[in-house]
Amino acid sequence: MVISTRKAIWGYDATMTGIGMKFDYITIHETGHEWFGNSITSKDIADMWIHEGFTTYSESVFVECRFGYDEAMKYINGQRNSVSNDKPVIGIFGVNKHGSGDMYYKGALMLNTLRHIINDDAKWWAMILKYSETFRKKIIDTETVVEFFNKESGMNLTPVFNQYLRYKDIPVLELRMCKGLLCSRWKTDVKDFAMPVDVMVDGKQIRLYPTTTGWEEKFLKDVDSTDDVEVMTKKFFIKVEKT
Ligand SMILES: [Zn+2]
């Protein structure tokens, strides 16, 4: 592809993964805004994550197209340390007040998490394409985005969007052993939070379905301790507390 008519800035490696050295990140980012920002525009600046979250995510989509899935996961997870969790991503409506600067990286990492919740890449990419076509040249808000992804996925993703966008903290996955079973539960601000999450046990990927209402119990052969369980934090932007 044609990178730019201007001099490309190679080597802007904000994610510190080395991948930023391979392309001109700002050209990709600003091109992404043709879809997310210029075509699809948020009604109020409080919902500016609709521009910046999706556009930052588009950088890792570019990386995946050029260099593959593993590099894209490295690139997007290189943004984790730049998330400050200082205040909610969504700002204050009606007073021209945007939310936290986390709208960029946390917004992108939330979308990466949604991709892995849906767990069907063909469906995910079709949804992203349909999203950009459905709301082409339209002015929308967060509720419209959430409604679209709920309908297209057939899942209730509202609690997930609410935790990442309306509270400052990300979900915490608590893991512990109870009577030989692996027990998991979410600690979140959203009361009815539920989200599947993948873990690796002995080289095998297993999906857990924790909630906030009680411990989900799962019998896993060869798991004697939570140290035997590796949570797939490259796919899910969460914190993990093992006891
Ligand atoms: Zn931007």
Side-chain angles (χ1 to χ4, degrees):
M1 69 170 275
V2 177
I3 292 292
S4 172
T5 51
R6 70 179 174 84
K7 193 165 182 270
I9 307 165
W10 302 104
Y12 182 92
D13 194 19
T15 64
M16 304 297 283
T17 54
I19 301 156
M21 305 297 274
K22 295 183 182 177
F23 69 105
D24 180 7
Y25 122 91
I26 198 70
T27 302
I28 301 308
H29 183 93
E30 301 310 332
T31 304
H33 276 310
E34 292 293 348
W35 283 267
F36 311 113
N38 293 348
S39 174
I40 300 175
T41 306
S42 69
K43 201 183 289 177
D44 190 301
I45 202 173
D47 274 339
M48 213 164 97
W49 77 273
I50 293 172
H51 305 176
E52 300 303 346
F54 276 94
T55 296
T56 304
Y57 183 66
S58 75
E59 294 167 33
S60 83
V61 175
F62 173 84
V63 172
E64 186 160 341
C65 290
R66 290 294 296 267
F67 310 116
Y69 174 83
D70 291 346
E71 293 292 272
M73 287 308 107
K74 259 189 243 165
Y75 182 82
I76 200 162
N77 281 292
Q79 300 173 340
R80 293 175 78 102
N81 293 337
S82 302
V83 175
S84 55
N85 293 321
D86 58 342
K87 56 183 182 178
V89 163
I90 291 180
I92 303 166
F93 290 90
V95 290
N96 197 32
K97 182 89 179 137
H98 63 68
S100 168
D102 284 348
M103 69 177 84
Y104 291 80
Y105 297 141
K106 193 196 260 186
L109 285 157
M110 177 188 74
L111 291 171
N112 189 49
T113 303
L114 283 180
R115 171 191 184 169
H116 293 103
I117 291 171
I118 288 163
N119 204 22
D120 178 340
D121 281 351
K123 188 172 175 178
W124 172 248
W125 298 125
M127 280 167 66
I128 293 290
L129 181 61
K130 190 170 177 185
Y131 171 72
S132 58
E133 286 171 345
T134 303
F135 302 110
R136 183 173 170 262
K137 295 186 182 175
K138 287 196 167 61
I139 294 169
I140 62 169
D141 54 19
T142 294
E143 285 71 19
T144 309
V145 180
V146 175
E147 197 182 308
F148 174 87
F149 280 91
N150 280 345
K151 184 167 173 277
E152 294 300 320
S153 67
M155 298 168 130
N156 177 19
L157 300 168
T158 305
V160 177
F161 278 103
N162 282 346
Q163 183 62 41
Y164 284 99
L165 301 176
R166 301 185 194 280
Y167 295 93
K168 70 179 182 66
D169 294 313
I170 61 173
V172 178
L173 178 67
E174 293 182 291
L175 288 179
R176 71 174 196 189
M177 297 306 294
C178 27
K179 292 177 192 159
L181 303 171
L182 177 67
C183 290
S184 59
R185 133 181 123 176
W186 289 113
K187 202 159 70 178
T188 55
D189 299 285
V190 172
K191 296 281 175 285
D192 57 348
F193 188 86
M195 178 170 107
V197 64
D198 295 329
V199 297
M200 290 293 274
V201 175
D202 229 0
K204 218 174 111 197
Q205 189 169 301
I206 292 157
R207 180 151 280 209
L208 304 177
Y209 296 89
T211 65
T212 48
T213 50
W215 292 95
E216 193 219 25
E217 297 177 343
K218 196 163 180 77
F219 172 71
L220 293 169
K221 211 168 142 281
D222 302 327
V223 172
D224 302 316
S225 144
T226 53
D227 290 339
D228 299 330
V229 177
E230 185 201 346
V231 180
M232 299 279 85
T233 50
K234 297 272 184 292
K235 298 180 177 186
F236 298 85
F237 184 47
I238 58 171
K239 283 184 185 154
V240 179
E241 282 177 6
K242 290 181 178 180
T243 51

